[in-house]
């Protein structure tokens, strides 16, 4: 049985759907709203409805008991922190978190318990780190990586709060705006926001904001990259302008509510009359089979939340099927990348998974589409 906390949330209910699609029949559904859980249960062959509040330690432990994997989709993550991860470790159940990120990683390490926890098992962070690790396996040595993530999409409460807090000037940073990786080390203030960019496979010209996250830094270090950039991309004007205004802000409860409303409104205005899409585009240069190449991999979805849910669900399945390493860490580094990409490619969450190679000294581009 896989137990999903936050099963009624934007990510959680889609994780439940994905698990059912992947063949998991017995799922425990957790959250505070009993009625919402009953609605979700209609889609699950064997649902175990478990209304509970994560702030209650005893109930959290009961929720984890008898689980083969505990999945956390409850948020915001800065409130939930390691409560459920701790309860799962006491119940000896491996744990997957759609969020969690470095704050939970540090808390779990500090507890010095031996458990398995796959954190940041979403898209950003998550797939944003996993796909380049998969790509790197096709290179003798990768040199440079540029990543573009975003598009046109809606905002949800918990994830937007987590995103805002990740750029809160007073909290521990999740990364550094305008930074990147140059000549094998982090370079601060090396990039500027860019307007009207053309990016392979992205249908619109986009505005882009550079943000070098801790995930990108680990990736650059692990793959021993020379250069590495990460760009959040926006196919509209309103959301990026509002996002830049929020940068470095200090988010007290009142400010947070206002910032959340502003971002939601901006996202809605950008979306007016347009179809949502979300893309992850990775451009990696290096030597593959003795030849210098540039490889682009582009993932496209019409619903970012479905892709997040697929990544969270496949991380849980990886634990069941022995496709993830044990210990405390990040899904992008612990799930077998070949297996994960093959599961992703079969998922209806993705509208396209495309690969294009350019060989240096040639004009020709070889394209592959999966
Ligand atoms: N890595 C990524 O790419 C990525 C992307 C998006 C989101 N996320 C993360 O995913 C998480 C969920 O985001 P979301 O957009 O799905 O949020 P959401 O729609 O607001 O859902 C939050 C869920 O948590 C439950 N919940 C909240 N507090 C609870 C508590 N004390 N006890 C039990 N259940 C509780 C809520 O249910 P009730 O109110 O019924 O209790 C609801 O089901 C967030 O941490 C977010 O940061 C990660």
């Amino acid at each position: 049985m896989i137990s999903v906390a936050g099963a009624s949330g934007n990510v959680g209910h889609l994780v439940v759907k994905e698990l059912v699609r992947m063949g998991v029949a017995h799922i425990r559904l957790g959250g505070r709203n009993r009625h919402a859980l009953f609605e979700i249960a209609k889609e699950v062959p064997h649902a175990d409805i478990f209304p509970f509040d994560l702030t209650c330690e005893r109930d959290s432990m009961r929720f984890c008991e008898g689980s083969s994997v505990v999945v956390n989709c409850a948020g915001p993550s800065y409130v939930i922190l390691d409560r459920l991860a701790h309860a799962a470790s006491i119940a000896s159940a491996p744990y997957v978190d759609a969020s969690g990120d470095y704050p939970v990683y540090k808390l779990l390490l500090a507890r010095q318990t031996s458990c398995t926890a796959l954190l940041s098992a979403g898209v950003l962070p998550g797939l944003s780190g996993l796909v380049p690790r998969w790509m790197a396996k096709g290179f003798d040595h990768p040199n440079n990586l540029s990543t573009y993530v975003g598009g046109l999409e809606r905002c949800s409460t918990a994830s937007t709060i987590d995103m805002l807090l990740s750029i809160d000037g007073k909290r521990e940073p999740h990364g550094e705006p305008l930074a990147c990786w140059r000549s094998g080390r982090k370079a601060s203030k090396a990039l500027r926001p860019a307007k009207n960019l053309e990016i392979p496979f992205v249908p619109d010209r986009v505005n882009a904001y550079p943000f070098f996250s801790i995930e990108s830094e680990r990736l650059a270090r692990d793959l021993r990259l020379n250069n590495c950039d990460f760009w959040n991309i926006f196919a509209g004007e309103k959301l990026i302008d509002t996002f830049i205004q929020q940068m470095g802000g200090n988010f007290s409860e009142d400010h947070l509510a206002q910032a959340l409303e502003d971002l939601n409104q901006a996202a809605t205005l950008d979306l007016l009359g347009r179809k949502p899409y979300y893309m992850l585009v990775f451009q990696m240069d290096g030597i593959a089979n003795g030849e210098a190449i540039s490889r682009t991999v582009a993932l496209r979805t019409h619903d970012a939340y479905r892709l997040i849910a697929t990544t969270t669900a496949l991380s849980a399945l990886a634990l069941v099927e022995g496709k993830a390493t044990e210990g405390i860490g990040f899904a992008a580094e612990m799930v077998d990348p070949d297996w994960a990409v093959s599961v992703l490619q079969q998922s209806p969450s993705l509208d396209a998974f495309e690969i294009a190679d350019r060989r240096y000294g040639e004009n020709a581009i070889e394209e592959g589409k999966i």
Side-chain angles (χ1 to χ4, degrees):
M1 179 182 63
I2 296 186
S3 300
V4 181
S8 60
N10 277 291
V11 174
H13 87 275
L14 294 171
V15 167
V16 172
K17 265 193 180 174
E18 268 301 84
L19 287 171
V20 171
R21 193 189 63 80
M22 290 171 177
V24 179
H26 196 175
I27 305 176
R28 179 173 284 166
L29 308 172
R32 290 169 299 192
N33 184 333
R34 179 185 294 269
H35 174 72
L37 297 180
F38 269 98
E39 282 301 308
I40 309 291
K42 289 177 185 165
E43 299 175 30
V44 183
H46 302 288
D48 179 13
I49 293 166
F50 199 103
F52 82 117
D53 192 319
L54 266 158
T55 53
C56 172
E57 200 172 326
R58 189 175 49 90
D59 286 354
S60 296
M61 287 189 190
R62 283 183 44 236
F63 175 75
C64 297
E65 275 166 17
S67 310
S68 48
V69 181
V70 171
V71 181
N72 182 34
C73 302
S77 188
Y78 84 102
V79 173
I80 308 296
L81 289 173
D82 67 337
R83 292 171 200 277
L84 195 61
H86 178 56
S89 83
I90 290 172
S92 302
Y95 175 82
V96 170
D97 200 325
S99 189
D101 308 330
Y102 277 86
V104 173
Y105 178 67
K106 282 187 173 173
L107 287 168
L108 289 177
L109 288 189
R111 284 192 192 267
Q112 295 190 324
T113 47
S114 66
C115 62
T116 288
L118 271 58
L119 306 173
S120 308
V123 164
L124 180 61
L127 271 192
S128 48
L130 187 142
V131 174
R133 285 173 196 272
W134 170 77
M135 288 173 76
K137 294 179 74 186
F139 282 79
D140 310 332
H141 179 60
N143 284 330
N144 307 314
L145 171 70
S146 293
T147 302
Y148 306 90
V149 177
L152 260 182
E153 49 153 0
R154 65 198 161 100
C155 293
S156 93
T157 306
S159 33
T160 310
I161 292 177
D162 280 335
M163 188 274 286
L164 283 170
L165 293 177
S166 76
I167 55 170
D168 183 340
K170 272 200 310 213
R171 284 171 202 263
E172 190 182 355
H174 285 217
E176 197 181 318
L178 312 180
C180 60
W181 191 258
R182 288 290 175 269
S183 308
R185 65 185 58 195
K186 191 159 95 174
S188 295
K189 296 188 181 141
L191 299 173
R192 291 280 167 274
K195 289 238 166 203
N196 216 19
L197 275 189
E198 212 174 334
I199 297 166
F201 297 107
V202 178
D204 298 303
R205 284 181 174 268
V206 295
N207 300 319
Y209 191 90
F211 187 83
F212 199 63
S213 65
I214 300 178
E215 181 189 60
S216 299
E217 193 170 338
R218 282 176 77 101
L219 193 61
R221 250 181 239 289
D222 289 355
L223 300 184
R224 301 170 64 202
L225 295 174
N226 200 28
N227 300 316
C228 180
D229 303 347
F230 183 96
W231 300 83
N232 289 295
I233 59 171
F234 302 82
E237 299 283 337
K238 301 269 186 273
L239 189 57
I240 187 169
D241 288 348
T242 314
F243 178 74
I244 290 175
Q245 280 163 20
Q246 314 285 4
M247 275 284 165
N250 294 322
F251 298 106
S252 64
E253 286 300 313
D254 284 352
H255 286 119
L256 200 56
Q258 186 57 51
L260 193 61
E261 198 182 313
D262 293 349
L263 285 167
N264 278 332
Q265 203 174 29
T268 309
L269 285 172
D270 279 341
L271 261 171
L272 269 185
R274 303 170 75 183
K275 281 203 171 136
Y277 68 87
Y278 188 84
M279 296 197 68
L280 295 101
V281 179
F282 305 92
Q283 283 186 308
M284 188 175 272
D285 297 348
I287 307 295
N289 298 321
E291 252 188 302
I293 67 158
S294 172
R295 177 165 296 157
T296 303
V297 170
L299 283 69
R300 181 185 166 110
T301 177
H302 57 280
D303 185 348
Y305 281 88
R306 279 192 70 181
L307 189 56
I308 294 161
T310 300
T311 311
T312 311
L314 78 79
S315 301
L317 207 61
L319 286 168
V320 175
E321 297 195 0
K323 300 291 185 187
T325 52
E326 291 182 357
I328 299 167
F330 300 94
E333 297 165 25
M334 293 168 79
V335 177
D336 175 344
D338 290 331
W339 177 85
V341 168
S342 72
V343 174
L344 270 176
Q345 285 169 341
Q346 288 156 29
S347 163
S349 306
L350 271 186
D351 299 326
F353 189 113
E354 297 180 275
I355 305 174
D357 281 356
R358 181 191 287 273
R359 285 176 166 68
Y360 287 106
E362 289 177 19
N363 290 328
I365 300 178
E366 284 176 22
E367 289 199 18
K369 190 170 183 176
I370 298 168

